[in-house]
Amino acid sequence: MKPLMLALALAACIPAAVAQSPQGSEALTEHQIRTRLAEQGYTKVNDLKFGDGVWHADARSGDGNRVQVRLDPRTGTIYPNEQVARMSERDVRAALAAAGYTNVHDVDYEDGIWNAEADSPSGKDVEVKIDPNTGKVVGTEKD
């Protein structure tokens, strides 16, 4: 009976843990994200957390400026808030449509990354994070 109770107690904890961490086995760990930031010259990394489908942190850039960064949870690509987008809103909408997203709205560029709300290809209402250079979806979260 004790093993069953333990299994049930552990199962009850799993959804909370999953909601706070990146999904999928290919997702990078916090340690890997910190390593990626250090490799790119970022120091004094603070408030590293996963949310809205991407990693978030405050850090010092290689030139000593304070920046906020977002990171792709699978590749570790870094998006500093000072970055200028190479894609327009129209480009982002087209990229999302090509990827199967519908009902795309509330598209905005903030903190080095494009954000939008849309219906995913499977029909779920999601908030989407988009690479400002390629239009690739880097993170999603239920809206």
Side-chain angles (χ1 to χ4, degrees):
M1 187 69 163
K2 281 186 179 180
L4 177 61
M5 296 299 281
L6 179 60
L8 289 173
L10 287 173
C13 296
I14 290 172
V18 170
Q20 298 300 316
S21 62
Q23 300 292 317
S25 60
E26 72 279 0
L28 298 173
T29 65
E30 180 177 339
H31 176 73
Q32 291 169 315
I33 291 295
R34 285 186 181 280
T35 300
R36 186 68 48 98
L37 285 164
E39 290 170 350
Q40 296 297 312
Y42 291 90
T43 60
K44 299 186 181 179
V45 176
N46 296 308
D47 299 326
L48 180 61
K49 61 185 175 246
F50 184 81
D52 300 329
V54 294
W55 284 98
H56 300 250
D58 294 322
R60 293 251 183 211
S61 63
D63 59 7
N65 291 328
R66 282 197 162 147
V67 294
Q68 294 177 345
V69 294
R70 306 290 182 266
L71 294 95
D72 182 315
R74 289 175 297 283
T75 66
T77 301
I78 301 168
Y79 305 102
N81 64 330
E82 300 168 340
Q83 178 172 289
V84 175
R86 293 186 183 159
M87 298 183 75
S88 68
E89 179 179 337
R90 175 184 271 167
D91 296 333
V92 169
R93 287 178 180 275
L96 288 173
Y101 289 85
T102 58
N103 191 27
V104 177
H105 59 96
D106 294 337
V107 179
D108 69 332
Y109 184 73
E110 182 180 36
D111 295 331
I113 201 163
W114 279 100
N115 304 280
E117 294 186 22
D119 293 335
S120 71
S122 63
K124 295 178 182 169
D125 186 19
V126 293
E127 184 176 331
V128 186
K129 304 294 183 185
I130 304 110
D131 183 300
N133 300 313
T134 66
K136 177 184 154 223
V137 173
V138 297
T140 61
E141 185 171 78
K142 285 191 243 180
D143 191 29

